[in-house]
């Protein structure tokens, strides 16, 4: 019964907010603030922070209030939740379209700084030049050196390296990640 009352309360607040009641709009935003913050904390995108996601969510909520149609016999609360989730997911998709990738080898040959990263977790970007990478490779075992040289310097895919070295792909992937982690410790 309590959930139904809350849903009906949201419908009433939405109706009031659509008719221009700013107090009702503020109350809706205040009641959904914990949900918005929780969703925003679970998203990690480069060049975005939590305030960006909270703003996107608040704008989505405001648009949901303006666009909600009571004639369709739906409740406002689930509509608002789905609108917020959909707009956050859309922002993630837009950001992922702009994800740029290029070959490490291409930049190393030019003597440019190189991004050394691991897909294992989000970390602060570390830029190194070719000489620094070669210096860091001194801490690696022979197997680790070979996989780093093969994948990054010879521009081989990890699958190709696994096939040529007659090893399991998963073992090669773990070896590469282990080598990167080792090198990061000395940065």
């Amino acid at each position: 019964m309590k959930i139904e009352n809350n849903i009906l309360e949201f419908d009433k607040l939405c109706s009031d907010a659509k008719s221009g009641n700013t107090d009702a709009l503020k109350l809706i935003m205040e009641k959904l603030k914990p949900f918005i913050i929780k969703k925003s904390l679970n998203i990690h995108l480069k060049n975005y922070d939590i305030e960006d996601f909270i703003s996107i969510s608040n704008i989505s909520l405001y648009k949901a209030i303006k666009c909600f149609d009571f004639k369709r016999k739906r409740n406002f609360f689930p509509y608002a939740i789905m609108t917020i989730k959909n707009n956050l997911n859309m922002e993630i998709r837009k950001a992922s379209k702009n994800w740029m990738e290029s070959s490490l080898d291409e930049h190393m040959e030019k003597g440019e700084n190189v991004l050394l990263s691991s897909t294992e977790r989000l970390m602060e970007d570390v830029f190194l030049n070719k000489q620094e990478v070669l210096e860091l490779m001194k801490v690696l075992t022979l197997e680790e050196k070979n996989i780093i040289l093969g994948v990054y310097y010879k521009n081989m895919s990890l699958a190709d390296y696994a096939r040529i070295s007659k090893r399991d792909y998963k073992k090669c992937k773990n070896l590469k990640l282990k080598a990167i982690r080792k090198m990061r410790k000395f940065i």
Side-chain angles (χ1 to χ4, degrees):
M1 188 70 176
K2 185 179 179 183
I3 294 173
E4 289 177 20
N5 289 339
N6 285 340
I7 288 175
L8 294 175
E9 178 187 358
F10 270 100
D11 288 347
K12 173 84 171 93
L13 288 171
C14 178
S15 176
D16 292 345
K18 279 181 79 100
S19 62
N21 184 344
T22 57
D23 292 334
L25 177 64
K26 288 178 185 176
L27 191 56
I28 291 172
M29 291 199 157
E30 191 62 36
K31 286 185 178 250
L32 288 176
K33 189 175 186 177
F35 170 76
I36 289 171
I37 291 172
K38 182 180 176 186
K39 277 299 195 189
S40 299
L41 285 170
N42 289 328
I43 302 171
H44 304 283
L45 291 175
K46 188 175 181 179
N47 299 327
Y48 285 82
D49 58 10
I50 186 170
E51 288 86 17
D52 295 325
F53 298 117
I54 290 172
S55 296
I56 291 166
S57 299
N58 285 333
I59 291 168
S60 301
L61 182 57
Y62 182 73
K63 287 180 181 178
I65 292 169
K66 285 207 169 243
C67 296
F68 186 71
D69 185 9
F70 286 100
K71 295 174 189 171
R72 298 184 96 186
K73 297 188 180 185
R74 292 185 292 179
N75 294 316
F76 174 71
F77 180 74
Y79 177 79
I81 296 296
M82 285 309 298
T83 302
I84 292 168
K85 286 180 180 179
N86 287 341
N87 283 316
L88 288 172
N89 288 335
M90 179 61 76
E91 195 64 33
I92 292 168
R93 283 191 293 275
K94 281 196 303 189
S96 68
K97 283 182 182 177
N98 296 330
W99 193 261
M100 301 296 288
E101 294 183 9
S102 64
S103 169
L104 180 65
D105 188 43
E106 174 186 330
H107 296 287
M108 295 293 264
E109 287 174 0
K110 294 178 185 175
E112 296 176 356
N113 289 337
V114 177
L115 172 65
L116 180 63
S117 66
S118 168
T119 57
E120 152 187 40
R121 59 189 159 114
L122 295 174
M123 292 186 75
E124 189 175 306
D125 294 339
V126 180
F127 290 94
L128 304 170
N129 65 34
K130 187 175 183 177
Q131 188 59 37
E132 290 169 326
V133 172
L134 293 174
E135 193 69 31
L136 285 171
M137 287 180 62
K138 291 179 181 178
V139 300
L140 302 178
T141 65
L142 182 60
E143 290 178 353
E144 293 166 341
K145 285 179 187 176
N146 287 339
I147 198 165
I148 294 295
L149 290 172
V151 172
Y152 291 110
Y153 285 92
K154 296 178 183 171
N155 210 19
M156 297 170 66
S157 71
L158 198 54
D160 290 339
Y161 181 83
R163 192 175 359 88
I164 290 170
S165 64
K166 297 178 183 165
R167 293 187 183 176
D168 183 47
Y169 175 82
K170 189 172 182 178
K171 287 183 182 179
C172 288
K173 179 181 172 188
N174 290 335
L175 183 64
K176 183 184 104 175
L177 291 174
K178 181 181 172 187
I180 290 172
R181 276 190 229 118
K182 248 189 205 179
M183 290 170 59
R184 282 180 186 249
K185 285 181 185 177
F186 294 96
I187 294 177

